[in-house]
Amino acid sequence: QVQAVLNALTFPLETLQAVKEHMHQAMRKGMSRQTHAQATVRMLPTYICSTPNGTEKGDLLVVELCQSHVRTLWVTLLGDGNQSPQVTDKIFDMPEDIKQGKGEALFDFIAQCVRQFLAGISSSQNRLPLGFVFPFSCRQTQLDKAELISWSKDFSCSDVEGKDVVQLLQSAINKQELHHVDVVALMNNTVGTMMTCSTEGKTCEVALVVGEQHATRVPGWWVLGGLHWCSPTLLAADGGFNSCFMAEAQQVEMAEEISGRMCVNTEWGCFGDDGTLSGILTPYDERVDQESCKPGVKRFEKLVGGLYLGEIVRHVLATLAAEKALLIGSDVTILSTKDVLKTQQVLEIINNGEGMAEARRVLEALGLKPSEQDCSQVQQICRAVVSRAAALCAAGLAAILSHMCQSRELEQLVVNVAMDGELCQGHTSRFEEVLQSVIGLLAPECTATFVHSVDGNGRGAAIVTAVALRLAAQRREVDQLLAPLRLSRTDLERVQALMRQEMELGLGRESHANASVRMLPTYVCNTPDGTERGDFLALDLGGTNFRVLVVHVAQDGIHMDNEIYVIPTAIMQGTGEALFDHIVECIMDFQMKQDLMEQILPLGFTFSFPCQQLGLDKAVLLSWTKGFSASGCVGQDVVQLLREAAQRKQHVGLKVVAVVNDTVGTMMSCGYDDPKCEIGLIVGTGTNACYMEEMQNVGTVEGERGRMCINMEWGAFGDNGCLDHIFTNFDQLVDEKTINAGKQRFEKLISGMYLGEIVRHILLALAEKQLLFCGKPSPKLQTRDIFKTKFLSTIETVPLVRDSDGLGLRQVRAILQDLELQASFEDSVLVREVCQTVSLRAAQLCAAGLAAVVEKMRENRGLAQLAVTVGVDGTLYKMHPRFSQHLQQMLRDLAPKCTVTFLQSEDGSGKGAALVAAVACRAAE
Ligand code: ADP
Ligand code: MG
């Protein structure tokens, strides 16, 4: 009969393998947002994402709520790598009735303990941060915000479940007039213990709790046994049974964090509450469960946890005695009494060198009369119960280790397992022996080294609190620095309103001269309707290359052919005559090659320099830019200059129909595919927009009928000071060093030429405040324009993974390393945040500008709802991973009455110029 019981308590490896697999599934279920609510293993986020770096210092208070007492600690960290913290503590016994009384009374009691404790300590600190160790399941949303999900053990205070326990403690502390005490962090006991293993630059990434933790006082910090290169896993104990580990943050779907790692409190005691473990439960387990204060729950804990092992043994003995297989001749009624056999006694019976004598002592103390055989069999039973607990615990831990190994894509995980608690005390304990051997079988890909923690709780909590404070202080500084770049909705509405105001000024005949947005008429009065046909020539001057194109607009679409020509610097900076002669020569060469000499094709001229247009084919150059400086052109009509050159070259077949700005080209090329396209937008080196305005609103051109495309030249928005309130120091620094300081102020917040430079200035400022690169920026980072806008695209595209083999981090690192910057993981994350902040602002400002445009168009047309398409070009818009998304989202928000579609233009300067020519020809016919 005894052997049958022993057999029932012993599992074959396949069973343990299955338990591990079930645990792994339960963990995944707990981490996923969809299934979290039904999960038995809740995988609660702790918001502990960082481990100590040793710079933590100051006085800290810790309050630990334990099974039967409250412990307060005063810890002084010296910023010396946490080598020699000073710790003072005090234990306050808790009256038994408090645990089942009112919640308020419990927190008042804790606060009174704090007050009494502080009365004996003098501190000069005016603010005293407090870390609260609260070993119950909480739904945590911040480090200092945690709703109690449910009480466990023998706690059941009223009015606490569902409430924020940090708030409850803070209120109770305030009631004690301890206004300088600030509850800054709440943590489970597992987490605190894990943290003590992270001193000396060694990170600890797993913790496990089994049984009562003892507040043993040991001088100095507990240090890992020389295994500085691997992370310790911690196995501790709390009267219950729990574990935590550092999970990849993006897998912790219940928390918003996506980078790095976050400690997850598994709360795995409830594993099996859905029936998963029913196959392995014995009748004794069922009885333990029935007699517990909450039957049916915490099934895993009831198999392994320190509160229950004595009970399991008691039920086994009671059953065997009733069957007359054991303790014959004794009165065994005592074995029906709950809790007469303590787990501690069970452990002594098996661990003690004199286990047999111990068994006898324990049984006799219960008034039993054990025979020699009884003692031996009781010892075997105790050993079987503890071994089973250890094997099941190993199955759970194996699931965690394998999960970590898999999610980090490692072939081999080397990890330390730090332990605490009565079940695994003493290096040769039976529990630990079985645990280790079973882990070796169930997770062979993981090398776990078991390490004992001593009083991890109190000190660990102090460290968590200190790390939280350090991070919070840094965060405050970063936020302060970035705050001016973060625009509120109100800010953006104001920008929108200002843009609208400047647009009106720019359109008005009288006000035009004072407007920062010039609203230049383009003499393009129609967008394509798809019926355009014919062959056209196009010129593209002012982009990266000079090109000549032939464009065939036919029934089946648009076909183009083009040739790129070089304009030698000598010609760019020589005389106007030479420049235009060169252009005509290129055209003739192209026509020759394309066999087009005999035809007179209408020509559209994309001329991307600022012009005052007087007609579709009449554009007075206002100034050269982009390295051009040919003499005798400024103030002249560029079409006339081209015609004169053609005459000089005796090229009679040239018919210039239109001069086109690149925004207009973009709008027209998209308009051919989508007739709703009445806006053009460029976000490339610079930024600009055009749209179809009512002629009656265009005060600068005669005529009231129909519409005309207006080239807004919105890059200059704000040049009259109207945007001064949103410019930051960084924008000023960027602007000051440009060749056109004080000009194109809106453009300098948005476009590709400037975003990288803004980021560079912010990085320098962060480094100067010791918030980045250990306070040491490289000399290279001091170089103007060294930080390219395309870096923003790269940095913002990749997910950041902490592992050294994570692709994302490698790319960010590569960029930073090229700039000779030594970046930690946290540095990379912060650099990415800076990039995100700058590109988000650019996209939102662009949206505010566009919102003004679409709203004006809607009002012009007296529509309740406007549907319109924007043709867009520019590498920043096209290549940045989030720009277009943020732009569109903000635009929907700012102009809800407009449904705006975005269409990317392909070769707007070539195709667009031809289409302007085509539309003009159609109109002329
Ligand atoms: P342009 O406006 O002169 O016609 P583009 O539209 O190609 O030229 O834009 C060039 C600008 O795009 C440059 O200022 C550059 O900083 C920026 N840029 C280039 N590559 C990227 C990228 N991958 N992501 C974001 N911006 C980029
Ligand atoms: Mg361009």
Side-chain angles (χ1 to χ4, degrees):
Q1 281 161 306
V2 172
Q3 193 55 49
V5 171
L6 294 177
N7 289 346
L9 290 169
T10 312
F11 302 136
L13 193 59
E14 302 83 77
T15 306
L16 294 172
Q17 199 81 51
V19 172
K20 174 194 169 187
E21 200 34 60
H22 284 307
M23 175 64 84
H24 199 175
Q25 275 166 19
M27 284 167 57
R28 281 193 292 253
K29 206 168 159 189
M31 284 205 278
S32 145
R33 194 181 289 277
Q34 276 105 39
T35 50
H36 174 80
Q38 303 98 47
T40 52
V41 177
R42 308 191 70 147
M43 307 296 281
L44 301 170
T46 64
Y47 292 84
I48 290 168
C49 302
S50 191
T51 43
N53 69 3
T55 63
E56 295 78 14
K57 72 177 181 190
D59 294 334
L60 303 153
L61 196 56
V62 171
V63 174
E64 199 185 332
L65 178 59
C66 306
Q67 185 62 24
S68 54
H69 58 262
V70 168
R71 180 169 174 238
T72 53
L73 294 94
W74 177 274
V75 181
T76 306
L77 298 177
L78 304 173
D80 60 352
N82 298 328
Q83 285 304 292
S84 51
Q86 290 152 16
V87 183
T88 314
D89 73 341
K90 191 165 175 157
I91 289 172
F92 298 85
D93 284 327
M94 191 158 46
E96 196 61 29
D97 56 344
I98 279 196
K99 293 196 253 177
Q100 285 92 33
K102 281 192 176 161
E104 198 179 349
L106 171 70
F107 286 96
D108 283 345
F109 176 76
I110 299 173
Q112 281 157 14
C113 296
V114 172
R115 190 172 47 110
Q116 277 185 37
F117 180 59
L118 288 179
I121 291 171
S122 65
S123 163
S124 54
Q125 222 164 288
N126 45 19
R127 179 173 175 263
L128 196 50
L130 183 150
F132 185 25
V133 181
F134 186 74
F136 300 94
S137 315
C138 289
R139 189 173 299 110
Q140 207 156 349
T141 49
Q142 285 168 28
L143 195 51
D144 62 351
K145 209 168 164 52
E147 270 176 26
L148 175 64
I149 296 172
S150 61
W151 286 116
S152 56
K153 298 158 204 164
D154 53 352
F155 280 78
S156 60
C157 301
S158 59
D159 280 338
V160 183
E161 290 180 344
K163 300 237 170 84
D164 176 6
V165 289
V166 172
Q167 200 57 53
L168 293 177
L169 179 60
Q170 186 70 63
S171 310
I173 283 176
N174 294 349
K175 256 198 269 174
Q176 298 293 323
E177 311 242 303
L178 299 168
H179 296 291
H180 62 306
V181 175
D182 209 351
V183 187
V184 299
L186 175 136
M187 72 220 77
N188 192 286
N189 46 346
T190 48
V191 178
T193 320
M194 183 175 83
M195 279 289 166
T196 52
C197 308
S198 295
T199 53
E200 294 208 325
K202 301 160 197 161
T203 52
C204 170
E205 300 194 277
V206 194
L208 180 84
V209 173
V210 201
E212 185 81 27
Q213 271 170 313
H214 297 284
T216 333
R217 280 165 235 192
V218 172
W221 284 102
W222 176 72
V223 176
L224 296 177
L227 292 152
H228 65 276
W229 43 269
C230 56
S231 351
T233 300
L234 174 87
L235 196 59
D238 78 334
F241 174 45
N242 197 10
S243 62
C244 70
F245 70 102
M246 294 303 278
E248 301 309 302
Q250 77 267 20
Q251 293 184 357
V252 188
E253 294 178 10
M254 297 309 294
E256 300 289 314
E257 298 287 330
I258 49 150
S259 54
R261 289 185 185 146
M262 183 188 280
C263 179
V264 168
N265 169 16
T266 64
E267 289 292 337
W268 71 4
C270 292
F271 174 53
D273 289 5
D274 56 358
T276 311
L277 292 174
S278 56
I280 62 166
L281 297 176
T282 64
Y284 322 108
D285 298 312
E286 299 295 3
R287 263 167 248 159
V288 169
D289 180 51
Q290 291 306 314
E291 288 181 12
S292 66
C293 56
K294 282 190 183 169
V297 301
K298 299 236 172 191
R299 298 314 300 262
F300 193 43
E301 179 174 314
K302 285 171 187 168
L303 293 172
V304 187
L307 283 180
Y308 303 99
L309 298 189
E311 282 293 280
I312 300 170
V313 171
R314 179 178 68 84
H315 279 292
V316 172
L317 297 186
T319 309
L320 287 171
E323 291 170 1
K324 300 278 182 248
L326 211 67
L327 294 167
I328 298 157
S330 293
D331 173 7
V332 294
T333 43
I334 182 80
L335 292 175
S336 326
T337 314
K338 206 180 158 193
D339 290 334
V340 289
L341 201 58
K342 304 287 180 216
T343 295
Q344 194 54 44
Q345 292 171 321
V346 171
L347 296 174
E348 277 162 17
I349 288 172
I350 60 166
N351 286 341
N352 201 316
E354 290 150 40
M356 286 280 283
E358 190 60 40
R360 176 171 297 281
R361 248 197 309 280
V362 169
L363 294 171
E364 282 176 359
L366 290 172
L368 302 168
K369 299 190 192 72
S371 67
E372 199 65 7
Q373 200 193 5
D374 286 336
C375 291
S376 161
Q377 287 179 331
V378 166
Q379 201 186 16
Q380 283 181 327
I381 290 163
C382 288
R383 187 171 290 151
V385 168
V386 171
S387 299
R388 184 184 67 153
L392 289 171
C393 185
L397 187 58
I400 290 182
L401 295 173
S402 293
H403 175 82
M404 289 171 75
C405 191
Q406 276 169 28
S407 58
R408 295 175 188 191
E409 290 168 19
L410 298 172
E411 273 174 25
Q412 174 102 48
L413 176 76
V414 180
V415 78
N416 278 13
V417 181
M419 305 183 288
D420 190 9
E422 61 184 338
L423 262 76
C424 31
Q425 258 156 19
H427 285 262
T428 54
S429 79
R430 176 78 188 157
F431 186 90
E432 191 180 330
E433 226 170 79
V434 175
L435 183 72
Q436 293 202 21
S437 63
V438 176
I439 290 273
L441 296 170
L442 292 182
E445 77 280 25
C446 305
T447 309
T449 305
F450 294 82
V451 186
H452 293 261
S453 162
V454 181
D455 187 19
N457 257 355
R459 300 158 193 232
I463 296 190
V464 171
T465 309
V467 171
L469 285 175
R470 175 171 58 77
L471 294 179
Q474 279 181 9
R475 181 47 22 202
R476 263 196 304 279
E477 282 194 72
V478 169
D479 280 340
Q480 220 166 35
L481 198 115
L482 295 180
L485 292 139
R486 296 190 166 126
L487 301 177
S488 67
R489 206 196 129 95
T490 317
D491 293 329
L492 292 164
E493 278 168 4
R494 184 144 171 233
V495 171
Q496 177 183 351
L498 284 165
M499 175 67 91
R500 174 63 185 263
Q501 192 179 312
E502 293 293 304
M503 287 169 72
E504 305 286 0
L505 288 176
L507 288 170
R509 185 195 299 272
E510 259 75 62
S511 53
H512 172 75
N514 300 321
S516 67
V517 180
R518 284 150 83 185
M519 305 296 281
L520 302 171
T522 65
Y523 296 86
V524 170
C525 298
N526 293 290
T527 50
D529 63 6
T531 64
E532 297 74 15
R533 297 285 177 270
D535 295 343
F536 305 89
L537 281 178
L539 295 183
D540 176 13
L541 183 70
T544 319
N545 298 304
F546 170 54
R547 296 183 307 155
V548 185
L549 306 91
V550 61
V551 185
H552 311 280
V553 185
Q555 183 94 41
D556 63 340
I558 297 180
H559 309 279
M560 304 193 292
D561 222 331
N562 75 80
E563 197 86 36
I564 291 173
Y565 292 91
V566 176
I567 300 188
T569 314
I571 290 189
M572 282 163 70
Q573 299 173 354
T575 65
E577 282 188 7
L579 172 64
F580 281 91
D581 282 352
H582 179 71
I583 291 173
V584 171
E585 278 164 18
C586 295
I587 297 172
M588 288 166 74
D589 176 75
F590 182 77
Q591 284 183 308
M592 206 94 79
K593 283 183 178 151
Q594 296 281 334
D595 201 12
L596 294 169
M597 279 314 254
E598 303 309 315
Q599 295 174 42
I600 299 179
L601 297 181
L603 184 147
F605 187 5
T606 298
F607 187 73
S608 306
F609 298 95
C611 286
Q612 177 76 53
Q613 227 163 321
L614 301 171
L616 189 58
D617 60 351
K618 207 167 165 57
V620 176
L621 177 63
L622 295 174
S623 60
W624 282 120
T625 56
K626 307 175 203 180
F628 279 78
S629 63
S631 60
C633 299
V634 172
Q636 302 295 311
D637 170 13
V638 294
V639 177
Q640 196 53 40
L641 294 177
L642 188 61
R643 285 183 184 139
E644 284 166 8
Q647 263 166 22
R648 282 197 296 276
K649 293 278 165 193
Q650 272 134 33
H651 184 43
V652 289
L654 209 60
K655 183 178 152 199
V656 184
V657 185
V659 181
V660 185
N661 180 272
D662 54 356
T663 50
V664 182
T666 299
M667 176 184 82
M668 295 297 274
S669 71
C670 292
Y672 183 76
D673 298 318
D674 178 355
K676 280 206 172 61
C677 183
E678 297 185 90
I679 300 174
L681 172 69
I682 305 266
V683 193
T685 306
T687 182
N688 191 14
C690 71
Y691 73 103
M692 297 304 289
E693 179 58 274
E694 311 303 312
M695 273 301 284
Q696 64 194 28
N697 293 339
V698 185
T700 48
V701 177
E702 295 301 321
E704 299 295 300
R705 301 224 334 260
R707 293 177 183 144
M708 181 181 284
C709 180
I710 299 295
N711 165 18
M712 294 175 69
E713 288 294 337
W714 81 3
F717 176 39
D719 288 5
N720 56 359
C722 70
L723 289 182
D724 285 1
H725 63 285
I726 64 161
F727 295 137
T728 64
N729 288 340
F730 310 113
D731 299 313
Q732 300 297 0
L733 288 169
V734 171
D735 178 54
E736 278 164 21
K737 290 288 187 305
T738 54
I739 49 165
N740 54 351
K743 299 263 167 9
Q744 298 291 101
R745 296 304 304 268
F746 191 53
E747 178 164 277
K748 286 173 187 166
L749 303 174
I750 295 176
S751 72
M753 194 159 181
Y754 309 100
L755 296 194
E757 188 60 2
I758 300 173
V759 167
R760 187 180 71 86
H761 281 289
I762 299 171
L763 298 185
L764 286 175
L766 285 168
E768 193 180 328
K769 285 187 181 292
Q770 307 287 322
L771 297 166
L772 202 57
F773 312 131
C774 299
K776 294 191 260 315
S778 61
K780 211 164 170 184
L781 190 66
Q782 321 262 6
T783 319
R784 217 184 110 203
D785 290 333
I786 196 96
F787 201 99
K788 306 288 176 210
T789 297
K790 68 173 184 216
F791 295 169
L792 275 74
S793 293
T794 310
I795 290 173
E796 292 182 57
T797 300
V798 297
L800 284 184
V801 188
R802 188 186 286 259
D803 292 328
S804 57
D805 49 358
L807 178 68
L809 188 57
R810 205 164 36 200
Q811 288 181 355
V812 178
R813 271 258 177 80
I815 289 175
L816 296 176
Q817 257 161 17
D818 261 1
L819 298 171
E820 289 159 14
L821 294 164
Q822 279 309 318
S824 68
F825 177 80
E826 281 74 18
D827 285 345
S828 299
V829 175
L830 184 51
V831 168
R832 188 176 61 158
E833 184 181 356
V834 170
C835 292
Q836 283 167 338
T837 306
V838 169
S839 65
L840 175 67
R841 182 182 70 150
Q844 292 185 333
L845 285 169
C846 194
L850 265 188
V853 173
V854 293
E855 268 299 296
K856 184 166 198 321
M857 290 173 78
R858 188 185 65 79
E859 285 172 30
N860 283 345
R861 299 171 192 196
L863 296 171
Q865 193 76 31
L866 171 79
V868 68
T869 296
V870 182
V872 205
D873 203 352
T875 306
L876 176 59
Y877 181 91
K878 288 178 172 172
M879 297 299 289
H880 189 278
R882 316 277 287 188
F883 189 92
S884 61
Q885 194 181 326
H886 286 311
L887 164 60
Q888 293 175 28
Q889 204 172 333
M890 200 64 226
L891 181 58
R892 271 196 297 277
D893 201 21
L894 292 172
K897 292 178 187 159
C898 302
T899 310
V900 186
T901 309
F902 286 77
L903 205 58
Q904 288 195 16
S905 127
E906 275 155 51
D907 199 359
S909 355
K911 201 161 135 184
L915 283 166
V916 172
V919 171
C921 294
R922 192 189 66 200
E925 279 159 21

